[in-house]
Amino acid sequence: MRRIVIGLFTIVLLALTTRQVMAQDQIRDLVVKIHAVQQAPDLLRPWARNSPQQVKGSGVVIDGRRILTNAHVVRYASQIYVQPNQSASHIPARVEAITAGMDLAVLKLDDETFFDNRGSLPFAQELPRVKDSINVYGYPTGGTELSVTQGIVSRIEYTDYYYQATGLRIQVDAALNFGNSGGPAVSDGRLVGLVFSLIQNAQNIGYLIPVEEIQPFLNDVK
């Protein structure tokens, strides 16, 4: 009898592990690398632009065959390309909507066949709690492959964003670097926030834009 119980427990554990691995693989396919060429205006010479700069960030597939990322990744971009996970393809993209204040942007692809075999990352229905575990996906500096780091929610507060915008912000202790911007933070298979900022001189302090701020932006886009 004991062997039967142990055997059933092992089967259940293997099934759960397999399901978790499959879920993680599905999320990986929804996270993309973004390449942008930015030419910001020259405030001292309004008739000219600054020299082009290569910017790299991350993004995530959401419903409506769209990609959600940070505004600062694609702002003033003359060229935008989306690179799928484990692919050398660079798919041209364009900005459909952007809000600099909340640092959010939505991209549309010129070739939407990319979405044919992909779903979208569902949104969490409520704010995470402090000490909840999260996984952050993205393409930070230091490598070319997708990176996944784990951490916990350290703080949730109402604070200033940019250009006099205010809203909720989630602080996490997951390791973040440049290139993580626009990448999703996931808990229980659902998007809880989008990476947008970090503190360079501090250890493992990063910030997310929560779904509670993302959803009103998407509603405005509609």
Side-chain angles (χ1 to χ4, degrees):
M1 182 67 181
R2 183 179 178 183
R3 290 182 180 178
I4 294 175
V5 172
I6 293 175
L8 289 173
F9 176 78
T10 303
I11 292 172
V12 172
L13 184 61
L14 287 173
L16 290 174
T17 302
T18 303
R19 188 176 300 174
Q20 289 174 351
V21 171
M22 290 177 63
Q24 290 176 359
D25 288 342
Q26 290 174 350
I27 294 173
R28 288 172 179 269
D29 288 339
L30 299 177
V31 183
V32 299
K33 188 174 186 177
I34 297 175
H35 305 262
V37 179
Q38 292 184 354
Q39 280 190 283
D42 188 337
L43 299 181
L44 299 179
R45 299 183 302 162
W47 60 89
R49 287 182 175 271
N50 291 318
S51 300
Q53 290 187 336
Q54 297 281 345
V55 177
K56 295 182 180 180
S58 305
V60 61
V61 177
I62 59 173
D63 64 345
R65 292 185 166 227
R66 300 173 297 174
I67 293 173
L68 182 68
T69 187
N70 287 145
H72 75 259
V73 174
V74 296
R75 192 180 182 199
Y76 301 127
S78 57
Q79 299 177 42
I80 304 172
Y81 296 95
V82 167
Q83 182 179 356
N85 181 36
Q86 295 184 335
S87 172
S89 300
H90 286 60
I91 306 171
R94 63 188 184 279
V95 176
E96 181 186 57
I98 190 169
T99 170
M102 295 305 296
D103 200 12
L104 293 169
V106 171
L107 305 182
K108 295 286 283 186
L109 301 185
D110 290 351
D111 182 8
E112 294 193 350
T113 58
F114 163 81
F115 299 104
D116 288 348
N117 298 318
R118 290 175 171 83
S120 60
L121 189 61
F123 287 7
Q125 298 301 311
E126 57 184 18
L127 273 170
R129 297 179 180 179
V130 174
K131 293 187 178 181
D132 276 1
S133 177
I134 53 102
N135 290 320
V136 176
Y137 295 75
Y139 293 87
T141 55
T144 57
E145 297 298 319
L146 179 68
S147 168
V148 184
T149 55
Q150 189 174 29
I152 63 169
V153 174
S154 306
R155 181 185 299 163
I156 300 173
E157 58 187 351
Y158 192 83
T159 186
D160 295 331
Y161 274 77
Y162 307 108
Y163 306 105
Q164 298 183 337
T166 57
L168 289 173
R169 183 180 70 180
I170 300 174
Q171 180 181 322
V172 296
D173 70 353
L176 302 175
N177 287 291
F178 293 109
N180 271 119
S181 293
V186 179
S187 179
D188 293 330
R190 293 182 175 272
L191 178 73
V192 296
L194 206 70
V195 177
F196 81 103
S197 180
L198 57 90
I199 298 180
Q200 287 183 269
N201 298 325
Q203 190 171 15
N204 294 348
I205 296 181
Y207 297 103
L208 312 177
I209 306 168
V211 167
E212 280 69 15
E213 302 298 344
I214 297 172
Q215 197 62 64
F217 165 63
L218 296 178
N219 291 339
D220 287 344
V221 171
K222 290 181 182 179

